[in-house]
Amino acid sequence: MGDHLEKSQHALLNEGDENEMEIFGYRTQGCRKVLCLIGSILSLGMLPLVFYWRPAWRVWANCVPCSLQDADIVLLKTTDEFKMYSWKRVIWISLSALSSTSGLSPDHPLITDEECIINRAIRKPDLKVRYIKVQKIRYVWNNLEGQFQKIGSLEDWLSSAKIHQKFGLGLTSEEQEIRRLICGPNAIDVEITPIWKLLIKEVLNPFYIFQLFSVCLWFSEDYKEYALAIILMSVISIALTVYDLRQQSVKLHHLVESHNSITVSVCERKAGAQDLESRLLVPGDLLILTGSRVQMPCDAILIDGSCVVDEGMLTGESIPVTKTPLSETASSAPWKMQSEADPRRHVLFCGTEVIQAKAAGSGTVRAVVLQTGFNTAKGDLVRSILYPKPMNFKLYRDAIRFLLCLVGTATIGMIYTLCVYVLSKEPPEEVVRKALDVITIAVPPALPAALTTGIIYAQRRLKKKGIFCISPQRINVCGQLNLVCFDKTGTLTRGGLDPWGVVPCDQSGFQAVHSFASGKALPQGPLCAAMASCHSLILLDGTIQGDPLDLKMFEATKWEMTVSGKDFHIKETLAQTTVVKPPDTVGQVPAEGLAIVHQFPFSSALQRMTVIVQEMGGGRLAFMKGAPERVASFCQPDTVPTTFISELQIYTTQGFRVIALAYKKLEVDCPTATLMREKVESDLIFLGLLILENRLKEETKPVLEELTSARIRTVMITGDNLQTAITVARKSGMVSEGQKVILVEANEATGSSSASLSWKLVEEKKHGLFGSQDTYINIREEVPENGREGNYHFALSGKSFHVISQHFSSLLPKILINGTIFARMSPGQKSNLVEEFQKLDYFVGMCGDGANDCGALKMAHVGISLSEQEASVASPFTSKTPNIECVPHLIKEGRAALVTSFCMFKYMALYSMIQYVGVLLLYWKTNSLSNYQFLFQDLAITTLIGVTMNLNGANPKLVPFRPAGRLISPPLLLSVILNILLSLAMHIVGFILVQKQPWYITEFHSVCPVRNESVSALTTPPNIPEKTRSNSTFASFENTTIWFLGTINCIIVALVFSKGKPFRQPTYTNYIFVLVLILQMGVCLFILFADIPELHRRLDLLCTPVLWRIYILIMISCNFAVSLAVEKAIIENRALWIAVKRCFGYQSKSQYRIWQRNLADDSSWPPLNQTSYSDMQGVSYSNPVFESNEEQL
């Protein structure tokens, strides 16, 4: 019974997805609620505050576990490493209101059909639905399967035939009403968070609660000045945070609100087409698309007609994309799986703009609503901004541990204080106040403000360099980056491609290259016609728009583009068909041009596109363009030149982008609509190669060299050709001269054989072309001498990466350790690759131009977008300068900010410990520091240092090692502990020595003479007039000594801990900080040596002999000398720490380091010129035949 309850109480939400969560069922219990209410009253509101910080505790205290079916509260826990809890209330929807108006009953056909999730969610006979809302998404309770399921989308299992049959005529009004009630409105509502809500959320931060406690305590002790200063700093900090959050909320609200109030035309099954507000759309509705420039308010599947869409919001590129209708096939497979083509070519995404809608013949353009609200593509993007993935950075976890250590130290101090004051028979309220004081001394309330200033300064410096940051906390993470992934096109290379030439071919093979630089017109023929028509360009308002590559290719032909008029009639052709014509000067056929009657759009998965064209007064032709290897595979073998591979290598290895072209003649009578893509794309005639130039950006090579010299790994992730990527890697310096590239090729399992994996060495050879020395790729048969010394890089394609992930997962980490070039990678594969690198404990940065890089930019520890499009809105960093120079800038600033954070932690720890030690010593005499003494240390010394210490800029040189990433690293801990011990020793020595002095008598308040007398005469206390006596209860020789030692020690520690090189600029360049230290030291020395009774009275100090003041200076100087020597000779001595690590045999526990050590000892790695086969379980690595000549290794 218990096991059954446990199973029914617990389930997984979004299983397998990125936002997977565990869900637990609970039922509220009245008596528990009453007990919690009593506890809240008795604790003066502290219990609700604890429940606010710990949501799981609230649920456990108020509720009892039960099955999810009976639950009225659910507890959610993320399955990632953060294990974050949240709770949601189960909400009921009643359909009874509809039953009266629409005549719904439990046995109504609409309710009894349990094919769709909506109907399975309706509980019979009372017609009620249970749901929860998690991160803006509704999950309804599926009564049949007994689990919560996402609602607001069409079911994935629907086939294309089912979609046409079920939704092709629209939904009935009853179906629409039911779906509206259950799915909710079709709106991406991002409400502008009220300022009071933001304020409460910020104020309830645990540290501000601690500050509130500190301030109340200080007011009770009449320590008003510093309390007011802390209140002022906190108010400014809270106000800035709330303002920033409010601005983000307003910006996001304005970004999405325009898509929530659009009027659309919807076809209702009985009433026909009617205008409707977009908020009322539901999955399954049939949209009628008319006109142009229409904003899509939802995701929809195109089922009739075609559309040209601007998807800049999603991809980052404002390039028109052609969408084709989902054909009605007999297959029962889900519509997404019915063909090898990318299913997204049928989907109109929310937030995108329909530029043109073309109906087929005399019909209309129709689309079925696929997803609504936050389930849409745009909704998903907005949710990723509203609920960002938490950042797992050890610094922040260490910061909590650091504060807990301080709290532990404060607890010891409290016990000591209680013992001392109770034994001294002090009043109870005084004992409690003094004990609580210790907490506010040991845990510095100014710590968050001091840390925040460092980040703000770094953010400001980045802004000056054109780098904008929407997640300031990630600046520290930049300092730990040790691997940076780069997109190629538009990031490493220039965005635009320029036509360089074409290589035509005929039956005898490839012909001479036609260079566009020669200025000669391209000869007319099928090759020229293919370049003029095989594209997705459109004519909009008199200008040709579309993919820049298509545009350059079309312009190279010198042809013209027009749109057919009303007198244009071709059977089975869309209205307003695009027509391309050769220039008037050309008197050759086809003089009247070509009409593009059908398109099979380009997709990165298929690596090709095909068009069907109608010759004016002639037959029909099909033209294909795409990746050379793919296009050649669809051609008649005898039309592909035998030198195809070598010719292709000549151009790809020079970094050219190569596109192949092919064509075939089609039967005139065959209707276009019935032509299957597979039939059109077969038995083609190979026409030749189009060569386009894609040059490296000038900044690419120097930046990559700088990163490599700093021992930061660089990796290329591109959708381009593998050989082109290898060449760009060599030219850019990503692969250095003398380093080898090993090609890893994996093939899927076929019916007769299991998945295979081969390893081939790519050799760089010189090859002459047009008088210049260039390179091409050759697969080398023998093993190089240094091939096994780690001096190699793996290169693989997206297909191989997929196969390795599926069938050779145990080999994947080994490949990634030296994997540098990843080509033909889809957007999803880019994200997966970044995640795999993170699993190896790399701190991964991703730099892309926003096109297809969104997922990877979001996944990486640090995402840097070179595009300002909406697609990069989820990227933490955006560079205004569209080149990779921003990457080293960001790493330098990150390192400087990280070191600054450590400096501040160390300084704040020492400052609090200096005060802590001093106060506890004075407590021994039932004395303490006065309010003005505290104020001078807290405000005039520490606050000014905290604000100015962070002003050091980043060191312009990127050094080949990173700063420590953890607060609990041995050098940092040793530095703090040694300095605490030094301060403790100095304070104890001063405290004991002052009591040993011959002039020390407790009842006297000064040993300063009234008249000028020699120092030697100050051995006996003179008769002091009453006016020099202090009425303060704090003034004593111990107090005066401890205060001077502590105050000047705070200044010295700031100088010792202020780090310069190698990560920050030298301390002397921070002029404001140096000036502050000089002024503070000057003021302290003035107070120490100036005999001004009024000043002493104000600060509750006693006048001491000059000789004792010199002793104080000697003690401080010794402390400074030892502290500085320890810091320079031990703490910052990198060579010493490396020697210590070797001596104790310490080795890094990072996964990538462990793999590197293992591979260095593996003589059989990398396995060259071998083929590995998976077993059918897909995890083993077997190599039955090893033919490599091991004697050559």
Side-chain angles (χ1 to χ4, degrees), residues 15 136 544 904 982:
E15 191 170 357
K136 305 285 186 181
I544 301 170
M904 284 315 306
L982 279 171

Side-chain angles (χ1 to χ4, degrees), residues 143-175:
N143 293 294
L144 209 63
E145 296 179 23
Q147 62 179 9
F148 281 104
Q149 284 185 315
K150 191 185 288 188
I151 201 75
S153 309
L154 287 186
E155 289 79 359
D156 287 336
W157 58 263
L158 288 169
S159 65
S160 60
K162 198 83 175 171
I163 289 171
H164 277 268
Q165 172 199 332
K166 196 167 185 176
F167 308 110
L169 297 174
L171 299 172
T172 63
S173 58
E174 291 88 354
E175 284 176 305

Side-chain angles (χ1 to χ4, degrees), residues 980-1030:
I980 289 172
L981 292 175
L982 279 171
S983 297
L984 179 64
M986 184 180 70
H987 278 77
I988 290 172
V989 167
F991 186 73
I992 293 170
L993 272 184
V994 74
Q995 296 175 46
K996 304 279 187 187
Q997 297 308 304
W999 43 261
Y1000 175 82
I1001 298 175
T1002 53
E1003 64 265 23
F1004 280 91
H1005 297 283
S1006 176
V1007 291
C1008 289
V1010 179
R1011 292 173 295 280
N1012 292 331
E1013 296 180 19
S1014 65
V1015 173
S1016 59
L1018 300 177
T1019 54
T1020 56
N1023 187 14
I1024 306 300
E1026 190 65 32
K1027 65 176 182 180
T1028 63
R1029 294 172 184 268
S1030 170

Side-chain angles (χ1 to χ4, degrees), residues 10 151 171 225 357 397 429 431 470 571 576 749 827 907 1078 1122 1143:
H10 169 248
I151 201 75
L171 299 172
E225 294 83 356
R397 284 185 301 177
E429 64 272 12
V431 175
I470 60 167
K571 190 180 176 184
Q576 299 286 300
Y907 178 72
I1078 292 169
V1122 175
C1143 179

